[in-house]
Every structure is written in structure tokens, then in C-alpha cells.
Amino acid sequence: MAGKKQRVLPGFGMTMGITVAMLSLLILIPLASILTYSFRLSLSEFWELIARPNVRQAFLTSTGCAFLAAVINCVFGLNLAWILVRYDFPGRRLMDAMIELPFALPTSVAGITLSRMYSDQGVLGQFLQKMGIKASYSKVGIVIAMVFIGIPFVVRALQPVLEKLPESLEEASEMLGASRMYTFRRVILPELTPALLTGFGLALARGIGEYGSVIYISGNSEKAGTQVVSYIIMQKLNSGSVDYEGAAAIALVLLVVSFVLLLLVSIVQIAAGRRTKG
């Protein structure tokens, strides 16, 4: 038919079938298994498990450190994205490529490296020790690790928006006598807020469930409150009597939290798209 569009990939049925099959095998079925194992516990058993002091403290540590790391990433990620987009300098492409390093580097390698660098004998740890700050084997170290793995989300969310943001807006604001702070707060920041919230949400969700990069630098001390949720799950799977149901129940809570965060990110993106079209 003359009015029918030609597609590069032939056959809606075939491509949709492959998509649903891969989605089911890689995402839906594994997630369904978490529900299956967690539902083997009664409601009272589920709440008793979640309310245990070590589990509750692990959730507070993971969410609190991830939130603080995401806030730090928003500040420094905005600054880094601004430099990469608005300035041209030697090594800019190399710096831009290095943003992807936390994605490419195995998180366990990052954790070992960070724990060594920020230990009392480490290059950066010695400096912080003189200031009375203990980094490795503390919540400070957890935040540092989460900043490391979360910074790419913020930078990559902001870069496309900054590239499309015309510099004429800043010039017009300056010509009208506005200060730099006023221009940033009333002209630039409103345009960047949806992307900034998207990066914040993605970094927060990644940080809450992070394991490899925080497991070595945290110290995993229940007394010091440096156990994260992912470590509690691994404890239940590596113990003498493997507790799949308990691990799945804790993972279910993480799944719900991550789903809510990603849903909020999607809502922000849809609202931003409607605002752009309008």
C-alpha cells in the first residue's frame, strides 16, 4: 500500500515476539522469582524479618548514604557537565570519556581501590585522617563509593539539555542587568531541573542497591552501622543454611523502592517532554 510506512526490521509480529521473549527471560521471570520466594513467608514473618535491627539499620544506611551521594552528584555533576559542554580545552574529550569509567570498571575493583586510597595509610585517607575524618570502614567511605558509581548518571542526563540550551538566554539576562546568580537560578536552573531530577533519581536507585563498590570500603560492621542492604542479602545466601526466602523478601523491598524511584523519573521525563512540546 502506498500510504504504509516501510520499516527497517520486517514484521511487527516477529520483532514484538523477540522483544517480549527477551524481556520475559531477562527481566520479568527473574523478578517473578523474587515474588515467588518472598511470598513463601507469611505477612508476620515478612514484617518480623524487615523489622530486625540489623536489617532496619542496613536500609537506613543504604538509603541515607545513597541520598547524600546523589545530592553531591547533582552539585558536582552539574558543574562537570557545564564545563564539558560550554568550554573547549585540551583534554576535554578524554575527560568526557572518563565519565563512563564507573560503568566500565568492575565495581569490586573500584571498591578495593577506593578502600585502599581512603584507608588510614592511603594517599587520600592520610590527608582526611589529619582532619579527623575516617573514610574507609565508615559511612563516609560508603558515600564516596556511591558518588563514584553515581556521577555518570547525572552528567549524562544533563549534557543533552545543556547542549540544546541556547547561550542567548544567558546573554539576554546579562544585558537586562541580572546578576550571575539570578541568571542561574531563574533562567538556567528551571531548564535543567527535569534532567537534574532524572540523574538524581537514577543515581539514588543505583546507590541503594550497590554492592561491589561499597562492600570493601564500608567495613560491614553491624555495631558501626556500616552494613548495607545488599550485604545483608549476601549474608543470607552465603550462610550455612541458605535462606532464599529471607533474601528474596529483603530484595523485594529494594525492588519496590527502585520501581518507585524509576516511576518518578519517568513521570518527570514525561512532564518535561510535554513542557518542551508546549
Side-chain angles (χ1 to χ4, degrees):
M1 296 177 63
K4 189 175 182 180
K5 293 183 179 180
Q6 296 295 324
R7 304 296 182 182
V8 175
L9 295 179
F12 172 79
M14 179 182 295
T15 52
M16 177 59 75
I18 294 174
T19 300
V20 172
M22 295 301 295
L23 183 66
S24 300
L25 291 173
L26 299 178
I27 299 178
L28 297 180
I29 293 177
L31 293 181
S33 67
I34 295 178
L35 296 174
T36 301
Y37 279 109
S38 61
F39 286 165
R40 291 181 180 179
L41 299 175
S42 65
L43 187 59
S44 60
E45 291 174 332
F46 179 86
W47 286 115
E48 189 274 331
L49 172 65
I50 301 301
R52 289 177 185 174
N54 65 322
V55 177
R56 187 172 64 250
Q57 180 61 48
F59 272 108
L60 290 174
T61 299
S62 292
T63 54
C65 291
F67 181 85
L68 180 58
V71 172
I72 295 173
N73 277 329
C74 284
V75 176
F76 289 100
L78 174 57
N79 184 73
L80 184 54
W82 183 272
I83 291 174
L84 291 173
V85 172
R86 291 301 173 91
Y87 295 95
D88 191 10
F89 55 90
R92 184 176 67 88
R93 292 184 180 275
L94 178 60
M95 181 182 292
D96 186 54
M98 289 177 64
I99 300 298
E100 306 289 348
L101 191 59
F103 288 154
L105 189 69
T107 54
S108 58
V109 175
I112 294 172
T113 303
L114 291 173
S115 62
R116 178 57 184 170
M117 288 182 60
Y118 286 95
S119 66
D120 295 343
Q121 293 78 34
V123 177
L124 300 177
Q126 289 181 348
F127 176 74
L128 293 176
Q129 189 70 20
K130 293 178 182 178
M131 300 172 60
I133 301 175
K134 180 177 177 60
S136 283
Y137 317 122
S138 69
K139 292 181 180 179
V140 174
I142 298 176
V143 173
I144 291 172
M146 290 181 177
V147 168
F148 175 80
I149 56 99
I151 191 71
F153 292 102
V154 179
V155 175
R156 293 307 187 220
L158 287 170
Q159 276 183 306
V161 181
L162 280 172
E163 289 171 354
K164 295 179 180 179
L165 187 65
E167 295 187 31
S168 58
L169 294 178
E170 304 163 46
E171 296 172 357
S173 179
E174 183 179 355
M175 291 178 62
L176 291 172
S179 64
R180 291 184 178 182
M181 180 57 66
Y182 184 89
T183 300
F184 174 78
R185 184 168 54 88
R186 300 299 298 271
V187 178
I188 299 174
L189 190 57
E191 297 294 328
L192 299 181
T193 297
L196 196 61
L197 290 176
T198 298
F200 174 84
L202 293 175
L204 178 60
R206 172 68 187 273
I208 291 175
E210 180 60 20
Y211 177 76
S213 62
V214 302
I215 197 67
Y216 298 103
I217 198 172
S218 66
N220 307 310
S221 172
E222 181 178 349
K223 183 178 180 181
T226 58
Q227 290 183 345
V228 293
V229 179
S230 53
Y231 176 76
I232 299 294
I233 295 175
M234 289 302 299
Q235 268 189 324
K236 292 188 172 296
L237 296 177
N238 291 332
S239 59
S241 55
V242 179
D243 184 9
Y244 283 111
E245 290 78 9
I250 298 174
L252 178 61
V253 179
L254 278 181
L255 177 63
V256 172
V257 172
S258 299
F259 177 80
V260 171
L261 288 174
L262 294 178
L263 178 62
L264 292 176
V265 167
S266 298
I267 293 174
V268 169
Q269 290 176 334
I270 292 173
R274 290 177 177 174
R275 179 170 174 265
T276 302
K277 292 178 180 178

